[in-house]
Amino acid sequence: MNKKVLIASHDAGGAEILSSWLNHNNKSALVVVDGPAKKIFKQKCPNANYFKLNEALTKTDWVLCGTGWSSNFELKVLSKAKKLKKKTVVYLDHWANYLERFKDKTNNYIFPDEIWVGDSYAKKIASSIFKNIPIFQKNNPYFK
């Protein structure tokens, strides 16, 4: 995937992983952050290309985001990206509440096209829940 990526994050756990991914993989990505992720990205990626969501979506080919627990920020990003027919990828940064992280405030589910996890345990859990979504185990860039 060498196309232009939009990285979106709100919660701290996802921000730690995605900011590390940005620093190791794709320094030209467009970044959209809110909530606790703002501080983490500004500290770890001060020279990143920060944008508002709608503008970033017009300039990118695919989306990589975390999952939020305290907000619907990432679900809003996924929903808008899917409406624009952008490829969507979510990096799950934990081992709990997988399904609930994709449920919006109206009890609808918004699933990505692909899910990334950082270890075999997470892959086993995610594969048992998301039967129709490709699950890929990736190195956790936070540990690099």
Side-chain angles (χ1 to χ4, degrees):
M1 257 189 270
N2 290 332
K3 297 181 177 183
K4 195 76 148 179
V5 61
L6 181 160
I7 296 176
S9 185
H10 179 279
D11 286 15
E16 289 289 358
I17 291 172
L18 296 176
S19 60
S20 296
W21 186 89
L22 175 63
N23 283 331
H24 287 94
N25 291 287
N26 192 332
K27 297 191 187 330
S28 66
L30 278 59
V31 177
V32 177
V33 289
D34 198 12
K38 279 184 179 181
K39 182 177 179 182
I40 293 166
F41 267 85
K42 294 288 184 180
Q43 183 178 30
K44 290 175 64 176
C45 308
N47 298 320
N49 301 310
Y50 294 95
F51 282 82
K52 299 276 187 203
L53 177 58
N54 290 335
E55 183 181 4
L57 281 169
T58 66
K59 297 179 180 205
T60 54
D61 302 298
W62 67 288
V63 173
L64 174 61
C65 62
T67 58
W69 190 248
S70 62
S71 83
N72 272 352
F73 178 79
E74 287 92 345
L75 292 176
K76 181 173 87 172
V77 173
L78 285 175
S79 179
K80 286 186 174 200
K82 290 179 100 36
K83 284 178 184 167
L84 295 170
K85 308 267 190 259
K86 309 276 183 177
K87 179 179 176 121
T88 55
V89 179
V90 166
Y91 198 116
L92 290 172
D93 64 293
H94 47 76
W95 298 317
N97 305 312
Y98 283 2
L99 191 59
E100 294 85 353
R101 290 180 177 266
F102 296 99
K103 188 191 295 187
D104 69 15
K105 291 179 181 181
T106 62
N107 290 324
N108 290 315
Y109 289 95
I110 303 168
F111 295 112
D113 298 312
E114 190 173 295
I115 295 174
W116 294 357
V117 295
D119 59 61
S120 59
Y121 183 67
K123 184 173 184 182
K124 182 177 178 182
I125 295 169
S127 296
S128 72
I129 296 170
F130 305 109
K131 305 279 188 199
N132 297 319
I133 302 173
I135 313 290
F136 296 96
Q137 184 176 335
K138 302 283 186 172
N139 288 330
N140 186 331
Y142 180 70
F143 296 126
K144 287 186 181 180

mmCIF file of all heavy atoms in Angstrom, residues 72-116:
data_model
loop_
_atom_site.group_PDB
_atom_site.id
_atom_site.type_symbol
_atom_site.label_atom_id
_atom_site.label_comp_id
_atom_site.label_asym_id
_atom_site.label_seq_id
_atom_site.Cartn_x
_atom_site.Cartn_y
_atom_site.Cartn_z
ATOM 1 N N ASN A 72 -16.745 8.603 19.523
ATOM 2 C CA ASN A 72 -17.076 8.014 18.222
ATOM 3 C C ASN A 72 -16.217 8.597 17.108
ATOM 4 O O ASN A 72 -16.550 8.468 15.941
ATOM 5 C CB ASN A 72 -18.559 8.249 17.903
ATOM 6 C CG ASN A 72 -19.444 7.148 18.452
ATOM 7 O OD1 ASN A 72 -18.973 6.130 18.939
ATOM 8 N ND2 ASN A 72 -20.741 7.361 18.384
ATOM 9 N N PHE A 73 -15.127 9.249 17.467
ATOM 10 C CA PHE A 73 -14.278 9.920 16.483
ATOM 11 C C PHE A 73 -13.851 8.966 15.361
ATOM 12 O O PHE A 73 -14.028 9.269 14.180
ATOM 13 C CB PHE A 73 -13.048 10.525 17.172
ATOM 14 C CG PHE A 73 -12.094 11.191 16.231
ATOM 15 C CD1 PHE A 73 -12.358 12.459 15.758
ATOM 16 C CD2 PHE A 73 -10.935 10.547 15.823
ATOM 17 C CE1 PHE A 73 -11.480 13.085 14.882
ATOM 18 C CE2 PHE A 73 -10.052 11.162 14.954
ATOM 19 C CZ PHE A 73 -10.324 12.435 14.480
ATOM 20 N N GLU A 74 -13.270 7.829 15.729
ATOM 21 C CA GLU A 74 -12.792 6.893 14.706
ATOM 22 C C GLU A 74 -13.934 6.324 13.867
ATOM 23 O O GLU A 74 -13.774 6.102 12.682
ATOM 24 C CB GLU A 74 -11.969 5.765 15.339
ATOM 25 C CG GLU A 74 -10.599 6.204 15.809
ATOM 26 C CD GLU A 74 -10.565 6.641 17.264
ATOM 27 O OE1 GLU A 74 -11.654 6.882 17.857
ATOM 28 O OE2 GLU A 74 -9.457 6.760 17.815
ATOM 29 N N LEU A 75 -15.093 6.097 14.490
ATOM 30 C CA LEU A 75 -16.245 5.609 13.731
ATOM 31 C C LEU A 75 -16.714 6.647 12.724
ATOM 32 O O LEU A 75 -17.116 6.298 11.611
ATOM 33 C CB LEU A 75 -17.381 5.220 14.676
ATOM 34 C CG LEU A 75 -17.123 3.998 15.545
ATOM 35 C CD1 LEU A 75 -18.285 3.767 16.501
ATOM 36 C CD2 LEU A 75 -16.865 2.764 14.700
ATOM 37 N N LYS A 76 -16.657 7.913 13.094
ATOM 38 C CA LYS A 76 -17.013 8.984 12.160
ATOM 39 C C LYS A 76 -16.038 8.982 10.973
ATOM 40 O O LYS A 76 -16.456 9.109 9.818
ATOM 41 C CB LYS A 76 -16.979 10.333 12.876
ATOM 42 C CG LYS A 76 -17.358 11.508 11.994
ATOM 43 C CD LYS A 76 -17.465 12.793 12.799
ATOM 44 C CE LYS A 76 -16.113 13.446 12.879
ATOM 45 N NZ LYS A 76 -16.141 14.784 13.474
ATOM 46 N N VAL A 77 -14.771 8.799 11.258
ATOM 47 C CA VAL A 77 -13.762 8.735 10.193
ATOM 48 C C VAL A 77 -14.041 7.543 9.287
ATOM 49 O O VAL A 77 -14.054 7.680 8.054
ATOM 50 C CB VAL A 77 -12.338 8.660 10.791
ATOM 51 C CG1 VAL A 77 -11.309 8.410 9.699
ATOM 52 C CG2 VAL A 77 -12.008 9.923 11.569
ATOM 53 N N LEU A 78 -14.268 6.368 9.876
ATOM 54 C CA LEU A 78 -14.559 5.175 9.074
ATOM 55 C C LEU A 78 -15.791 5.372 8.196
ATOM 56 O O LEU A 78 -15.779 5.028 7.018
ATOM 57 C CB LEU A 78 -14.772 3.956 9.977
ATOM 58 C CG LEU A 78 -13.551 3.326 10.607
ATOM 59 C CD1 LEU A 78 -13.973 2.208 11.557
ATOM 60 C CD2 LEU A 78 -12.596 2.799 9.554
ATOM 61 N N SER A 79 -16.832 5.910 8.781
ATOM 62 C CA SER A 79 -18.077 6.117 8.044
ATOM 63 C C SER A 79 -17.873 7.045 6.846
ATOM 64 O O SER A 79 -18.304 6.729 5.728
ATOM 65 C CB SER A 79 -19.138 6.690 8.986
ATOM 66 O OG SER A 79 -20.330 6.911 8.300
ATOM 67 N N LYS A 80 -17.223 8.160 7.059
ATOM 68 C CA LYS A 80 -16.988 9.110 5.965
ATOM 69 C C LYS A 80 -16.084 8.501 4.897
ATOM 70 O O LYS A 80 -16.311 8.676 3.701
ATOM 71 C CB LYS A 80 -16.381 10.411 6.505
ATOM 72 C CG LYS A 80 -17.381 11.264 7.240
ATOM 73 C CD LYS A 80 -16.780 12.602 7.620
ATOM 74 C CE LYS A 80 -17.846 13.498 8.220
ATOM 75 N NZ LYS A 80 -17.484 14.898 8.172
ATOM 76 N N ALA A 81 -15.054 7.784 5.314
ATOM 77 C CA ALA A 81 -14.131 7.172 4.352
ATOM 78 C C ALA A 81 -14.847 6.115 3.514
ATOM 79 O O ALA A 81 -14.645 6.035 2.301
ATOM 80 C CB ALA A 81 -12.943 6.561 5.094
ATOM 81 N N LYS A 82 -15.667 5.319 4.145
ATOM 82 C CA LYS A 82 -16.395 4.281 3.415
ATOM 83 C C LYS A 82 -17.368 4.887 2.404
ATOM 84 O O LYS A 82 -17.510 4.369 1.305
ATOM 85 C CB LYS A 82 -17.096 3.354 4.387
ATOM 86 C CG LYS A 82 -16.116 2.478 5.175
ATOM 87 C CD LYS A 82 -16.783 1.573 6.147
ATOM 88 C CE LYS A 82 -16.940 0.177 5.679
ATOM 89 N NZ LYS A 82 -15.926 -0.448 4.877
ATOM 90 N N LYS A 83 -18.012 5.980 2.771
ATOM 91 C CA LYS A 83 -18.921 6.651 1.834
ATOM 92 C C LYS A 83 -18.178 7.147 0.605
ATOM 93 O O LYS A 83 -18.738 7.227 -0.481
ATOM 94 C CB LYS A 83 -19.638 7.807 2.522
ATOM 95 C CG LYS A 83 -20.738 7.352 3.444
ATOM 96 C CD LYS A 83 -21.404 8.504 4.152
ATOM 97 C CE LYS A 83 -22.423 7.968 5.143
ATOM 98 N NZ LYS A 83 -22.882 8.984 6.080
ATOM 99 N N LEU A 84 -16.894 7.474 0.787
ATOM 100 C CA LEU A 84 -16.062 7.939 -0.323
ATOM 101 C C LEU A 84 -15.324 6.791 -1.012
ATOM 102 O O LEU A 84 -14.459 7.022 -1.856
ATOM 103 C CB LEU A 84 -15.058 8.979 0.181
ATOM 104 C CG LEU A 84 -15.670 10.283 0.692
ATOM 105 C CD1 LEU A 84 -14.611 11.141 1.380
ATOM 106 C CD2 LEU A 84 -16.310 11.044 -0.460
ATOM 107 N N LYS A 85 -15.645 5.562 -0.616
ATOM 108 C CA LYS A 85 -15.056 4.355 -1.214
ATOM 109 C C LYS A 85 -13.545 4.254 -0.981
ATOM 110 O O LYS A 85 -12.809 3.715 -1.801
ATOM 111 C CB LYS A 85 -15.361 4.266 -2.708
ATOM 112 C CG LYS A 85 -16.824 4.419 -3.051
ATOM 113 C CD LYS A 85 -17.506 3.090 -3.134
ATOM 114 C CE LYS A 85 -18.887 3.195 -3.714
ATOM 115 N NZ LYS A 85 -19.949 3.172 -2.782
ATOM 116 N N LYS A 86 -13.091 4.766 0.165
ATOM 117 C CA LYS A 86 -11.678 4.659 0.545
ATOM 118 C C LYS A 86 -11.482 3.335 1.280
ATOM 119 O O LYS A 86 -12.367 2.876 2.004
ATOM 120 C CB LYS A 86 -11.267 5.784 1.502
ATOM 121 C CG LYS A 86 -11.612 7.176 1.047
ATOM 122 C CD LYS A 86 -10.598 7.729 0.123
ATOM 123 C CE LYS A 86 -10.972 9.172 -0.253
ATOM 124 N NZ LYS A 86 -9.997 9.779 -1.090
ATOM 125 N N LYS A 87 -10.337 2.729 1.100
ATOM 126 C CA LYS A 87 -10.003 1.526 1.866
ATOM 127 C C LYS A 87 -9.820 1.943 3.313
ATOM 128 O O LYS A 87 -9.205 2.967 3.608
ATOM 129 C CB LYS A 87 -8.725 0.881 1.335
ATOM 130 C CG LYS A 87 -8.359 -0.358 2.126
ATOM 131 C CD LYS A 87 -7.123 -1.023 1.593
ATOM 132 C CE LYS A 87 -6.780 -2.184 2.501
ATOM 133 N NZ LYS A 87 -6.766 -3.433 1.819
ATOM 134 N N THR A 88 -10.358 1.134 4.246
ATOM 135 C CA THR A 88 -10.263 1.448 5.664
ATOM 136 C C THR A 88 -9.593 0.303 6.418
ATOM 137 O O THR A 88 -9.921 -0.867 6.215
ATOM 138 C CB THR A 88 -11.657 1.714 6.266
ATOM 139 O OG1 THR A 88 -12.501 0.592 6.002
ATOM 140 C CG2 THR A 88 -12.275 2.981 5.677
ATOM 141 N N VAL A 89 -8.641 0.685 7.275
ATOM 142 C CA VAL A 89 -7.910 -0.274 8.095
ATOM 143 C C VAL A 89 -7.927 0.227 9.529
ATOM 144 O O VAL A 89 -7.701 1.412 9.774
ATOM 145 C CB VAL A 89 -6.443 -0.413 7.615
ATOM 146 C CG1 VAL A 89 -5.684 -1.392 8.484
ATOM 147 C CG2 VAL A 89 -6.384 -0.820 6.147
ATOM 148 N N VAL A 90 -8.173 -0.684 10.457
ATOM 149 C CA VAL A 90 -8.141 -0.350 11.877
ATOM 150 C C VAL A 90 -7.065 -1.185 12.549
ATOM 151 O O VAL A 90 -6.971 -2.392 12.312
ATOM 152 C CB VAL A 90 -9.507 -0.622 12.545
ATOM 153 C CG1 VAL A 90 -9.386 -0.612 14.057
ATOM 154 C CG2 VAL A 90 -10.523 0.405 12.100
ATOM 155 N N TYR A 91 -6.249 -0.530 13.374
ATOM 156 C CA TYR A 91 -5.264 -1.235 14.197
ATOM 157 C C TYR A 91 -5.858 -1.375 15.591
ATOM 158 O O TYR A 91 -6.079 -0.388 16.279
ATOM 159 C CB TYR A 91 -3.953 -0.450 14.257
ATOM 160 C CG TYR A 91 -2.784 -1.297 14.714
ATOM 161 C CD1 TYR A 91 -1.716 -1.541 13.873
ATOM 162 C CD2 TYR A 91 -2.759 -1.855 15.986
ATOM 163 C CE1 TYR A 91 -0.651 -2.328 14.286
ATOM 164 C CE2 TYR A 91 -1.707 -2.645 16.402
ATOM 165 C CZ TYR A 91 -0.650 -2.884 15.551
ATOM 166 O OH TYR A 91 0.399 -3.660 15.960
ATOM 167 N N LEU A 92 -6.161 -2.618 16.004
ATOM 168 C CA LEU A 92 -6.680 -2.871 17.349
ATOM 169 C C LEU A 92 -5.509 -2.916 18.317
ATOM 170 O O LEU A 92 -4.590 -3.713 18.144
ATOM 171 C CB LEU A 92 -7.455 -4.194 17.386
ATOM 172 C CG LEU A 92 -8.774 -4.208 16.643
ATOM 173 C CD1 LEU A 92 -9.342 -5.625 16.592
ATOM 174 C CD2 LEU A 92 -9.768 -3.265 17.296
ATOM 175 N N ASP A 93 -5.550 -2.080 19.332
ATOM 176 C CA ASP A 93 -4.400 -1.913 20.231
ATOM 177 C C ASP A 93 -4.592 -2.592 21.579
ATOM 178 O O ASP A 93 -3.939 -2.225 22.548
ATOM 179 C CB ASP A 93 -4.137 -0.416 20.445
ATOM 180 C CG ASP A 93 -5.281 0.278 21.148
ATOM 181 O OD1 ASP A 93 -6.359 0.381 20.555
ATOM 182 O OD2 ASP A 93 -5.098 0.709 22.293
ATOM 183 N N HIS A 94 -5.472 -3.574 21.669
ATOM 184 C CA HIS A 94 -5.811 -4.174 22.964
ATOM 185 C C HIS A 94 -6.399 -5.552 22.732
ATOM 186 O O HIS A 94 -6.436 -6.034 21.604
ATOM 187 C CB HIS A 94 -6.828 -3.284 23.679
ATOM 188 C CG HIS A 94 -7.922 -2.888 22.748
ATOM 189 N ND1 HIS A 94 -8.920 -3.750 22.391
ATOM 190 C CD2 HIS A 94 -8.110 -1.770 22.020
ATOM 191 C CE1 HIS A 94 -9.707 -3.153 21.506
ATOM 192 N NE2 HIS A 94 -9.234 -1.960 21.259
ATOM 193 N N TRP A 95 -6.936 -6.174 23.788
ATOM 194 C CA TRP A 95 -7.500 -7.518 23.685
ATOM 195 C C TRP A 95 -8.953 -7.590 24.132
ATOM 196 O O TRP A 95 -9.473 -8.678 24.346
ATOM 197 C CB TRP A 95 -6.697 -8.497 24.531
ATOM 198 C CG TRP A 95 -5.277 -8.664 24.132
ATOM 199 C CD1 TRP A 95 -4.791 -8.784 22.862
ATOM 200 C CD2 TRP A 95 -4.151 -8.734 24.981
ATOM 201 N NE1 TRP A 95 -3.436 -8.938 22.873
ATOM 202 C CE2 TRP A 95 -3.005 -8.896 24.188
ATOM 203 C CE3 TRP A 95 -3.974 -8.679 26.361
ATOM 204 C CZ2 TRP A 95 -1.725 -9.013 24.699
ATOM 205 C CZ3 TRP A 95 -2.704 -8.787 26.880
ATOM 206 C CH2 TRP A 95 -1.596 -8.955 26.054
ATOM 207 N N ALA A 96 -9.617 -6.473 24.312
ATOM 208 C CA ALA A 96 -10.961 -6.513 24.890
ATOM 209 C C ALA A 96 -11.958 -5.643 24.128
ATOM 210 O O ALA A 96 -11.571 -4.675 23.474
ATOM 211 C CB ALA A 96 -10.906 -6.056 26.345
ATOM 212 N N ASN A 97 -13.219 -5.998 24.246
ATOM 213 C CA ASN A 97 -14.338 -5.210 23.722
ATOM 214 C C ASN A 97 -14.242 -4.929 22.224
ATOM 215 O O ASN A 97 -14.595 -3.845 21.773
ATOM 216 C CB ASN A 97 -14.460 -3.893 24.494
ATOM 217 C CG ASN A 97 -14.593 -4.116 25.976
ATOM 218 O OD1 ASN A 97 -15.387 -4.934 26.421
ATOM 219 N ND2 ASN A 97 -13.799 -3.411 26.752
ATOM 220 N N TYR A 98 -13.770 -5.904 21.473
ATOM 221 C CA TYR A 98 -13.568 -5.676 20.041
ATOM 222 C C TYR A 98 -14.845 -5.257 19.331
ATOM 223 O O TYR A 98 -14.870 -4.259 18.628
ATOM 224 C CB TYR A 98 -13.006 -6.929 19.366
ATOM 225 C CG TYR A 98 -11.535 -7.170 19.590
ATOM 226 C CD1 TYR A 98 -10.762 -6.345 20.390
ATOM 227 C CD2 TYR A 98 -10.903 -8.230 18.977
ATOM 228 C CE1 TYR A 98 -9.415 -6.584 20.578
ATOM 229 C CE2 TYR A 98 -9.555 -8.481 19.152
ATOM 230 C CZ TYR A 98 -8.813 -7.653 19.962
ATOM 231 O OH TYR A 98 -7.487 -7.886 20.124
ATOM 232 N N LEU A 99 -15.885 -6.031 19.481
ATOM 233 C CA LEU A 99 -17.116 -5.755 18.745
ATOM 234 C C LEU A 99 -17.714 -4.408 19.139
ATOM 235 O O LEU A 99 -18.136 -3.630 18.278
ATOM 236 C CB LEU A 99 -18.125 -6.880 18.975
ATOM 237 C CG LEU A 99 -19.348 -6.880 18.081
ATOM 238 C CD1 LEU A 99 -18.960 -6.971 16.608
ATOM 239 C CD2 LEU A 99 -20.259 -8.044 18.451
ATOM 240 N N GLU A 100 -17.709 -4.107 20.431
ATOM 241 C CA GLU A 100 -18.297 -2.863 20.925
ATOM 242 C C GLU A 100 -17.603 -1.620 20.369
ATOM 243 O O GLU A 100 -18.207 -0.560 20.269
ATOM 244 C CB GLU A 100 -18.265 -2.820 22.451
ATOM 245 C CG GLU A 100 -19.154 -3.859 23.101
ATOM 246 C CD GLU A 100 -18.487 -5.225 23.262
ATOM 247 O OE1 GLU A 100 -17.355 -5.435 22.758
ATOM 248 O OE2 GLU A 100 -19.108 -6.101 23.884
ATOM 249 N N ARG A 101 -16.356 -1.744 20.017
ATOM 250 C CA ARG A 101 -15.606 -0.594 19.510
ATOM 251 C C ARG A 101 -16.068 -0.159 18.119
ATOM 252 O O ARG A 101 -15.696 0.904 17.652
ATOM 253 C CB ARG A 101 -14.114 -0.887 19.517
ATOM 254 C CG ARG A 101 -13.587 -0.945 20.933
ATOM 255 C CD ARG A 101 -12.108 -1.228 20.988
ATOM 256 N NE ARG A 101 -11.700 -1.187 22.384
ATOM 257 C CZ ARG A 101 -11.204 -0.123 22.991
ATOM 258 N NH1 ARG A 101 -11.055 1.002 22.329
ATOM 259 N NH2 ARG A 101 -10.867 -0.165 24.256
ATOM 260 N N PHE A 102 -16.853 -0.995 17.479
ATOM 261 C CA PHE A 102 -17.348 -0.674 16.140
ATOM 262 C C PHE A 102 -18.828 -0.291 16.128
ATOM 263 O O PHE A 102 -19.411 -0.117 15.078
ATOM 264 C CB PHE A 102 -17.078 -1.843 15.189
ATOM 265 C CG PHE A 102 -15.617 -2.108 14.992
ATOM 266 C CD1 PHE A 102 -14.982 -3.117 15.697
ATOM 267 C CD2 PHE A 102 -14.864 -1.323 14.139
ATOM 268 C CE1 PHE A 102 -13.612 -3.353 15.535
ATOM 269 C CE2 PHE A 102 -13.503 -1.539 13.975
ATOM 270 C CZ PHE A 102 -12.884 -2.558 14.673
ATOM 271 N N LYS A 103 -19.431 -0.149 17.304
ATOM 272 C CA LYS A 103 -20.852 0.206 17.418
ATOM 273 C C LYS A 103 -20.981 1.698 17.679
ATOM 274 O O LYS A 103 -20.390 2.233 18.616
ATOM 275 C CB LYS A 103 -21.514 -0.559 18.556
ATOM 276 C CG LYS A 103 -23.029 -0.355 18.583
ATOM 277 C CD LYS A 103 -23.694 -0.882 19.834
ATOM 278 C CE LYS A 103 -23.611 -2.361 19.993
ATOM 279 N NZ LYS A 103 -24.424 -2.860 21.139
ATOM 280 N N ASP A 104 -21.764 2.371 16.838
ATOM 281 C CA ASP A 104 -21.940 3.812 17.025
ATOM 282 C C ASP A 104 -23.065 4.104 18.019
ATOM 283 O O ASP A 104 -23.672 3.180 18.582
ATOM 284 C CB ASP A 104 -22.150 4.537 15.686
ATOM 285 C CG ASP A 104 -23.478 4.216 15.021
ATOM 286 O OD1 ASP A 104 -24.382 3.658 15.673
ATOM 287 O OD2 ASP A 104 -23.619 4.543 13.836
ATOM 288 N N LYS A 105 -23.346 5.366 18.220
ATOM 289 C CA LYS A 105 -24.336 5.772 19.226
ATOM 290 C C LYS A 105 -25.763 5.390 18.855
ATOM 291 O O LYS A 105 -26.656 5.417 19.689
ATOM 292 C CB LYS A 105 -24.237 7.274 19.477
ATOM 293 C CG LYS A 105 -22.960 7.641 20.172
ATOM 294 C CD LYS A 105 -22.820 9.117 20.414
ATOM 295 C CE LYS A 105 -21.492 9.369 21.088
ATOM 296 N NZ LYS A 105 -21.232 10.741 21.390
ATOM 297 N N THR A 106 -25.981 5.031 17.594
ATOM 298 C CA THR A 106 -27.320 4.590 17.169
ATOM 299 C C THR A 106 -27.392 3.059 17.104
ATOM 300 O O THR A 106 -28.312 2.507 16.505
ATOM 301 C CB THR A 106 -27.687 5.202 15.801
ATOM 302 O OG1 THR A 106 -26.755 4.736 14.813
ATOM 303 C CG2 THR A 106 -27.680 6.715 15.856
ATOM 304 N N ASN A 107 -26.391 2.396 17.681
ATOM 305 C CA ASN A 107 -26.302 0.930 17.727
ATOM 306 C C ASN A 107 -26.090 0.281 16.369
ATOM 307 O O ASN A 107 -26.411 -0.896 16.187
ATOM 308 C CB ASN A 107 -27.515 0.316 18.436
ATOM 309 C CG ASN A 107 -27.494 0.606 19.915
ATOM 310 O OD1 ASN A 107 -26.434 0.636 20.537
ATOM 311 N ND2 ASN A 107 -28.657 0.845 20.485
ATOM 312 N N ASN A 108 -25.568 1.025 15.422
ATOM 313 C CA ASN A 108 -25.158 0.463 14.136
ATOM 314 C C ASN A 108 -23.668 0.161 14.201
ATOM 315 O O ASN A 108 -22.915 0.858 14.872
ATOM 316 C CB ASN A 108 -25.429 1.453 13.004
ATOM 317 C CG ASN A 108 -26.909 1.611 12.754
ATOM 318 O OD1 ASN A 108 -27.647 0.636 12.693
ATOM 319 N ND2 ASN A 108 -27.345 2.848 12.609
ATOM 320 N N TYR A 109 -23.273 -0.863 13.469
ATOM 321 C CA TYR A 109 -21.855 -1.227 13.420
ATOM 322 C C TYR A 109 -21.218 -0.655 12.165
ATOM 323 O O TYR A 109 -21.809 -0.695 11.090
ATOM 324 C CB TYR A 109 -21.695 -2.750 13.436
ATOM 325 C CG TYR A 109 -22.023 -3.348 14.778
ATOM 326 C CD1 TYR A 109 -23.295 -3.839 15.035
ATOM 327 C CD2 TYR A 109 -21.073 -3.413 15.785
ATOM 328 C CE1 TYR A 109 -23.619 -4.389 16.262
ATOM 329 C CE2 TYR A 109 -21.375 -3.956 17.020
ATOM 330 C CZ TYR A 109 -22.650 -4.439 17.250
ATOM 331 O OH TYR A 109 -22.955 -4.976 18.474
ATOM 332 N N ILE A 110 -20.016 -0.146 12.327
ATOM 333 C CA ILE A 110 -19.234 0.369 11.203
ATOM 334 C C ILE A 110 -17.906 -0.383 11.222
ATOM 335 O O ILE A 110 -17.073 -0.171 12.103
ATOM 336 C CB ILE A 110 -18.999 1.886 11.317
ATOM 337 C CG1 ILE A 110 -20.344 2.613 11.415
ATOM 338 C CG2 ILE A 110 -18.174 2.386 10.129
ATOM 339 C CD1 ILE A 110 -20.235 4.063 11.806
ATOM 340 N N PHE A 111 -17.734 -1.283 10.274
ATOM 341 C CA PHE A 111 -16.548 -2.123 10.242
ATOM 342 C C PHE A 111 -15.575 -1.661 9.162
ATOM 343 O O PHE A 111 -15.993 -1.202 8.094
ATOM 344 C CB PHE A 111 -16.935 -3.579 9.977
ATOM 345 C CG PHE A 111 -17.762 -4.192 11.069
ATOM 346 C CD1 PHE A 111 -19.085 -4.534 10.841
ATOM 347 C CD2 PHE A 111 -17.228 -4.413 12.320
ATOM 348 C CE1 PHE A 111 -19.859 -5.103 11.838
ATOM 349 C CE2 PHE A 111 -17.983 -4.983 13.332
ATOM 350 C CZ PHE A 111 -19.304 -5.324 13.097
ATOM 351 N N PRO A 112 -14.290 -1.828 9.402
ATOM 352 C CA PRO A 112 -13.285 -1.492 8.387
ATOM 353 C C PRO A 112 -13.177 -2.610 7.352
ATOM 354 O O PRO A 112 -13.723 -3.707 7.544
ATOM 355 C CB PRO A 112 -12.000 -1.395 9.216
ATOM 356 C CG PRO A 112 -12.202 -2.413 10.300
ATOM 357 C CD PRO A 112 -13.684 -2.320 10.642
ATOM 358 N N ASP A 113 -12.441 -2.340 6.301
ATOM 359 C CA ASP A 113 -12.189 -3.352 5.277
ATOM 360 C C ASP A 113 -11.160 -4.375 5.743
ATOM 361 O O ASP A 113 -11.120 -5.501 5.248
ATOM 362 C CB ASP A 113 -11.674 -2.688 3.993
ATOM 363 C CG ASP A 113 -12.687 -1.726 3.412
ATOM 364 O OD1 ASP A 113 -13.870 -2.113 3.285
ATOM 365 O OD2 ASP A 113 -12.317 -0.576 3.117
ATOM 366 N N GLU A 114 -10.315 -3.957 6.704
ATOM 367 C CA GLU A 114 -9.202 -4.784 7.148
ATOM 368 C C GLU A 114 -8.881 -4.420 8.596
ATOM 369 O O GLU A 114 -9.049 -3.267 8.994
ATOM 370 C CB GLU A 114 -8.008 -4.444 6.247
ATOM 371 C CG GLU A 114 -6.812 -5.290 6.335
ATOM 372 C CD GLU A 114 -5.817 -4.893 5.227
ATOM 373 O OE1 GLU A 114 -6.149 -5.073 4.030
ATOM 374 O OE2 GLU A 114 -4.731 -4.403 5.577
ATOM 375 N N ILE A 115 -8.430 -5.400 9.367
ATOM 376 C CA ILE A 115 -8.032 -5.161 10.753
ATOM 377 C C ILE A 115 -6.597 -5.616 10.948
ATOM 378 O O ILE A 115 -6.224 -6.708 10.504
ATOM 379 C CB ILE A 115 -8.965 -5.904 11.735
ATOM 380 C CG1 ILE A 115 -10.381 -5.333 11.656
ATOM 381 C CG2 ILE A 115 -8.422 -5.821 13.167
ATOM 382 C CD1 ILE A 115 -11.420 -6.094 12.473
ATOM 383 N N TRP A 116 -5.807 -4.777 11.628
ATOM 384 C CA TRP A 116 -4.441 -5.119 12.011
ATOM 385 C C TRP A 116 -4.392 -5.324 13.514
ATOM 386 O O TRP A 116 -5.043 -4.594 14.272
ATOM 387 C CB TRP A 116 -3.469 -4.010 11.639
ATOM 388 C CG TRP A 116 -3.288 -3.770 10.173
ATOM 389 C CD1 TRP A 116 -3.845 -4.457 9.130
ATOM 390 C CD2 TRP A 116 -2.494 -2.743 9.573
ATOM 391 N NE1 TRP A 116 -3.445 -3.915 7.924
ATOM 392 C CE2 TRP A 116 -2.613 -2.864 8.181
ATOM 393 C CE3 TRP A 116 -1.695 -1.728 10.104
ATOM 394 C CZ2 TRP A 116 -1.953 -2.005 7.297
ATOM 395 C CZ3 TRP A 116 -1.043 -0.873 9.228
ATOM 396 C CH2 TRP A 116 -1.160 -1.016 7.829
#
